[in-house]
Amino acid sequence: MEKPHLAIFPLSRGMGHFLPLAEFVKRLSKFHGFSITLIISRWVWTSQQPAVLERLASSALDIRFTEIPYITEDEDEQNMELTIRISKFMLKAKPHIEDVLQSLCSSLPVSAFITDLFCTELLDVTTKLKIPGYIFVPSSASFVCFTVHLPKLISDNKVPFKDADFEVEIPGLPPIPARDLINPVQDRSDSAFKWIVQHASRCREASGILINTFAELEEEAMETLSTPATLPIYPVGPLMFTDSDAPDESSCLKWLDEQPPLSVLFVAFGSKGVLLREQITDLAIGLEASGYRFLWVLRGHKSGDSSSLETDISQLLPEGFEIRTRDRGLVLLNWAPQIPVLSHPSTGGFLSHCGWNSTLESVSHGVPMIAWPLFAEQKMNRVILVKQIQVAISLRTESNGFVRREEVQIAVRELMEGQEGRKARKKMKVLKDKAKIALMEGGSTMKATANAATDLSQKPSLTP
Ligand code: UDP
């Protein structure tokens, strides 16, 4: 029997969107017999992306790649807010993706097409070509609740969220301070607002939504999404891109081997997060004053809206910091093997920007968190992690978002030895076990993935 053939267009917007979809691709091909064509664009690639594609290519799975022409942007476009930039990129990429899909269909029928939440524009193409179009959400089920509720939220609340000092009610979520909602919805005159509302409205046109979560982690959100079920929802996570064939020789893992169990705080802000220079100083001094061991990934610094990556760590740190903390701290430039770090027995806490992948990786390894959100839906994630799931503790910030050194010190101590930290660790352990069960045969994620695989292959594959 011919294998079902999937076409997938991943959004190359940092690793947070790319890695979980890459893992899903692997699972669909390895365990559900799909033949998969990944439609690739080199637009805004991170330096890690080629290595991930290479690992997929050398995996001996039935996965092939086809690349669309490079999409150019003028300087104005490059400086636009990310949602607008992505949406403009998608308008230019759309005809190329249509060409690829059309030519694929003529050689090997495509049973379904999967793309990112920010690429709803492509649902026009799938409708035209009569291919079922699915949306992949690298974020939480709670974020999907927010997305599907957004049009009503906007019509019910006439005050711009940026000026609001109230909390909003979103089914499935704890009350969220309006100012913690994602940036593009804060200001209605912003064109990012228009795009987000469009994606939110259009995701209902999809044949189904695949979410990087597991049912037991977000019970309230999953219940909200399934009653009444408007469209099929598949909680297929946690999806963590790992490569067991390539053991990590990173020096930081060797350093972790030498530290006592649960003694190290891992500090990392994802694949895109950078801090202001002054903030790096206060974080450094707070970490030092806490007295705890730490492993810190530092990616450069930000000034105003622009960020620059540094090649010399000591340029970023307070004078003498590395010498004073050399017995108990390690600072890495740019990137760490995060999953091996979180799974290491010496790692006892995670100060995180609350990116959803980082969150799932922490949950899957039972590591309690300090929530330090920076952008995107991370402030919403903080509320969910602190108030609803109760696996993270909050940091007190100034009104401009700055975290003072004293607050860093207090939060680190609280997480590593305080009562709040103990509660979060206990809850994390329960969820770690549930994540493991979800991924076992008969577990919720395995069932959802099997259902998705059936739907992704069963739909009639019609050539245009
Ligand atoms: N990551 C990593 N090493 C780093 C920084 C990030 O391996 O030093 C990985 C991390 O494990 C996660 C992804 O990159 O899988 C980041 O995704 P997340 O959603 O947490 O944040 P984003 O980068 O999208 O802000």
Side-chain angles (χ1 to χ4, degrees), residues 13-17 19-20 48 138 239-241 266 268-273 297 299 332-340 342 350 352-361 375-378 381:
R13 179 214 171 199
M15 298 307 276
H17 285 239
L19 288 172
Q48 285 80 28
L239 291 160
M240 294 179 286
F241 189 84
F266 178 50
F269 296 90
S271 61
K272 301 184 288 287
V297 188
R299 305 192 58 250
L332 297 175
L333 194 63
N334 202 19
W335 194 258
Q338 183 163 299
I339 295 174
L342 287 169
F350 185 14
S352 167
H353 71 315
C354 303
W356 189 247
N357 293 287
S358 295
T359 299
L360 285 177
E361 290 159 14
F375 52 83
E377 87 290 19
Q378 295 157 14
N381 291 347

Side-chain angles (χ1 to χ4, degrees), residues 248-260:
D248 210 307
E249 302 291 345
S250 171
S251 59
C252 75
L253 298 177
K254 295 198 182 91
W255 181 83
L256 278 173
D257 287 343
E258 288 155 18
Q259 312 306 317

Side-chain angles (χ1 to χ4, degrees), residues 9 75 118-119 134 155 174 177 190 196-197 226 237 245 249 273 286 298 317 324 333 339 346 383 388 415 432 437 439:
F9 179 73
E75 212 180 313
F118 282 90
C119 309
Y134 285 77
S155 72
D190 190 335
I196 281 291
V197 175
S226 34
D245 297 337
E249 302 291 345
L298 195 47
L317 293 165
R324 291 195 302 276
L333 194 63
I339 295 174
S346 299
V383 180
Q388 192 176 45
L415 184 79
K432 174 185 171 181
I437 294 169
L439 287 166

Side-chain angles (χ1 to χ4, degrees), residues 209-286:
I209 300 188
L210 304 144
I211 312 178
N212 187 14
T213 194
F214 60 101
E216 294 78 2
L217 179 65
E218 295 187 274
E219 284 169 346
E220 292 89 340
M222 281 309 303
E223 205 177 307
T224 303
L225 290 173
S226 34
T227 49
T230 40
L231 76 170
I233 301 283
Y234 312 91
V236 293
L239 291 160
M240 294 179 286
F241 189 84
T242 49
D243 190 356
S244 48
D245 297 337
D248 210 307
E249 302 291 345
S250 171
S251 59
C252 75
L253 298 177
K254 295 198 182 91
W255 181 83
L256 278 173
D257 287 343
E258 288 155 18
Q259 312 306 317
L262 300 179
S263 67
V264 176
L265 178 76
F266 178 50
V267 182
F269 296 90
S271 61
K272 301 184 288 287
V274 279
L275 304 176
L276 294 168
R277 230 173 227 290
E278 313 85 77
Q279 185 62 88
I280 293 173
T281 302
D282 268 51
L283 172 52
I285 294 174

